Amino acid sequence: MIRAFTATAAALLASLASAPADASESPPRTGFEETNGARWTGESEEQEFLARVDRASARVSVARIGTTKQGRPLQLARIGSHLAPNRVLLVCSQHGDEPSGREACLTTIRDLAYATDRQTRRFLDRTTVFVVPTANPDGRAADTRGNSDGVDVNRDHLALQTAEARAMATVLRDQHPDVVYDLHEYTPTPKYYDKDLFDLWPRNLNTDETVHDEAETLSQEYVRPAAGRAGYTTGTYGIWTDPVTGDPIKQTAGDGQERILRNMSGVKHAVGLLIESRVDPLTDVDEAANNRRRVDSQLAALDGLFDFTDEHRAQVETATGTARHAGYADSGPIYLGGADNDPPEPSEVIQDPPCGYRLTDDQYTEVKDELALHGVRSWGGYVPLRQPLRALVPLLLDARAPYHLTSGEPVTDC
């Protein structure tokens, strides 16, 4: 397993081959670890933790990528020996009242930084791991789902109206991650919807087929088996199942909306996966024990992610690279609705897309920053489809798209 670096305290305390700046300083522990799960890591504890890891390991750099409305930093940790072509992004606790992913991400940053085993060091020679440890700091401080304005950040990855979503878009644009792994939690409905972990890949139909298939492989052949080996039950997010037969009963979440990160990841040609750990315990245990289960199940699933990344790097790089170049061909339909398990209505398919969209001066002024943050190329008020993010252009600018930013004029004379 790639995460063998967490096996013993001795491994964490050993000197690195690329020695830390202060070799006498022991690896830091989170507030969650210090209290054995009795409470979550505090804001100031997180900042000190990240600063110590950054100082101690040449493998790690921590940078500020934005600032929330209340002035808290949005940070990105980079772990790796160099900027390898294979890149993985962990986005942790977009919803502020879902803290287990954040705890798993913080300890993962540290464990990768301090690992001395050959397998992990070789992994980091070939893979750069990016981590946004707290994607919604204001919500985490308030223990709320939304940010300080009450906005659900995970419904803002198209419009980019929040500082949090704008920071995520910047990372996707500048770092081009091959895999985007989004850590969440959910409240169970006993008997019908109560696995330890649920996950879901991009359902948006604009996801390249090969990228979509790699995301399903990540889920079904790596993340779920890894969690199962650790004793955790798994299933598909958003699908209630019959407790006797295991057959699906109804879908309650998990559609193809492009404004959700796992779907936007697919539209932007990354292998996306949403992971959801169960908040409530199945048995009568104390709060600290249940909190440890929540975090440990996330860490078990991360084992599968890192194994997938190591074993499928060639397939993933081929899939994402090919998808990014396919837009230049400017061919094929674009989907405004539907999902991989929900065929679109005819009105939700642009069978013969235009060459591009023309915006008025006012329209362009209104949306140019968002276009730039997404990485959509434009020439003044003209936005062509012939570019890597071909499918994203109509989602942003076509009047028929459910979450469009403005209604551009389709240009059909190519």
Side-chain angles (χ1 to χ4, degrees):
M1 303 276 285
I2 290 299
R3 294 192 74 253
F5 46 78
T6 61
T8 65
L12 295 179
L13 294 169
S15 298
L16 295 173
S18 54
D22 181 0
S24 65
E25 185 176 349
S26 60
R29 288 164 56 83
T30 65
F32 181 84
E33 291 175 312
E34 293 284 1
T35 62
N36 200 27
R39 63 172 177 80
W40 307 108
T41 301
E43 181 181 344
S44 61
E45 290 175 317
E46 175 184 341
Q47 296 306 310
E48 176 58 24
F49 179 91
L50 291 172
R52 285 183 61 184
V53 174
D54 192 4
R55 288 194 306 267
S57 175
R59 297 176 187 166
V60 178
S61 65
V62 179
R64 190 169 186 145
I65 55 172
T67 303
T68 69
K69 185 176 181 180
Q70 294 183 345
R72 294 183 173 88
L74 289 155
Q75 294 174 291
L76 178 71
R78 176 187 60 79
I79 310 103
S81 301
H82 54 273
L83 284 175
N86 188 263
R87 300 181 176 196
V88 175
L89 171 64
L90 310 184
V91 179
C92 319
S93 298
Q94 283 197 80
H95 294 144
D97 57 353
E98 299 172 7
S100 74
R102 170 178 176 257
E103 298 294 343
C105 286
L106 288 172
T107 56
T108 294
I109 293 170
R110 182 213 43 221
D111 293 348
L112 286 170
Y114 281 84
T116 58
D117 66 283
R118 180 180 178 183
Q119 186 179 14
T120 302
R121 290 170 59 185
R122 182 173 179 269
F123 174 78
L124 291 174
D125 282 339
R126 303 192 296 166
T127 301
T128 303
V129 179
F130 295 94
V131 184
V132 180
T134 306
N136 180 6
D138 291 352
R140 176 79 290 271
D143 194 28
T144 57
R145 178 180 176 87
N147 68 1
S148 56
D149 285 327
V151 177
D152 185 336
V153 176
N154 202 29
R155 299 298 182 273
D156 189 37
H157 292 289
L158 187 81
L160 304 183
Q161 297 302 294
T162 63
E164 296 85 357
R166 292 168 81 86
M168 295 308 106
T170 300
V171 174
L172 292 177
R173 180 195 66 193
D174 295 347
Q175 304 303 337
H176 297 293
D178 297 288
V179 179
V180 177
Y181 189 85
D182 187 18
L183 293 80
H184 286 259
E185 295 193 85
Y186 82 99
T187 301
T189 302
K191 293 189 178 181
Y192 299 102
Y193 197 60
D194 59 357
K195 305 294 187 183
D196 291 305
L197 289 167
F198 285 118
D199 67 48
L200 190 60
W201 47 88
R203 288 202 185 277
N204 189 282
L205 293 173
N206 295 297
T207 303
D208 179 88
E209 183 179 0
T210 307
V211 172
H212 174 276
D213 291 349
E214 286 295 329
E216 280 202 283
T217 297
L218 167 60
S219 163
Q220 297 177 8
E221 297 183 22
Y222 285 86
V223 166
R224 296 187 191 188
R229 288 191 294 271
Y232 299 109
T233 56
T234 60
T236 301
Y237 177 71
I239 304 293
W240 283 24
T241 57
D242 186 291
V244 177
T245 66
D247 294 332
I249 297 174
K250 64 178 179 177
Q251 182 168 334
T252 60
D255 60 15
Q257 290 182 36
E258 57 268 23
R259 59 184 185 158
I260 299 170
L261 181 60
R262 65 175 166 80
N263 285 319
M264 182 56 73
S265 299
V267 173
K268 291 184 174 179
H269 316 308
V271 175
L273 195 71
L274 167 78
I275 189 81
E276 300 259 359
S277 60
R278 190 185 71 243
V279 171
D280 298 337
L282 283 178
T283 58
D284 187 16
V285 297
D286 64 48
E287 183 176 2
N290 185 54
N291 290 343
R292 293 194 298 271
R293 175 197 58 79
R294 292 160 66 180
V295 175
D296 288 346
S297 65
Q298 293 276 10
L299 289 170
L302 280 167
D303 281 341
L305 167 68
F306 289 128
D307 284 346
F308 168 85
T309 302
D310 204 37
E311 296 173 13
H312 271 246
R313 69 179 65 252
Q315 297 96 314
V316 168
E317 288 176 19
T318 297
T320 58
T322 301
R324 288 165 186 156
H325 285 90
Y328 289 113
D330 193 17
S331 62
I334 292 174
Y335 300 94
L336 305 179
D340 67 356
N341 65 341
D342 179 23
E345 298 294 329
S347 62
E348 296 176 314
V349 184
I350 305 177
Q351 290 289 358
D352 187 16
C355 310
Y357 294 85
R358 185 172 288 114
L359 307 177
T360 66
D361 290 345
D362 287 345
Q363 285 178 317
Y364 183 63
T365 298
E366 179 187 359
V367 302
K368 65 179 182 179
D369 289 346
E370 287 70 36
L371 294 176
L373 283 165
H374 278 300
V376 170
R377 300 170 184 174
S378 62
W379 283 264
Y382 178 64
V383 186
L385 262 68
R386 193 181 295 275
Q387 58 176 301
L389 295 178
R390 173 179 181 265
L392 181 57
V393 175
L395 300 179
L396 293 166
L397 304 180
D398 196 291
R400 293 166 290 179
Y403 306 107
H404 65 276
L405 303 189
T406 192
S407 299
E409 176 191 354
V411 177
T412 58
D413 183 6
C414 299

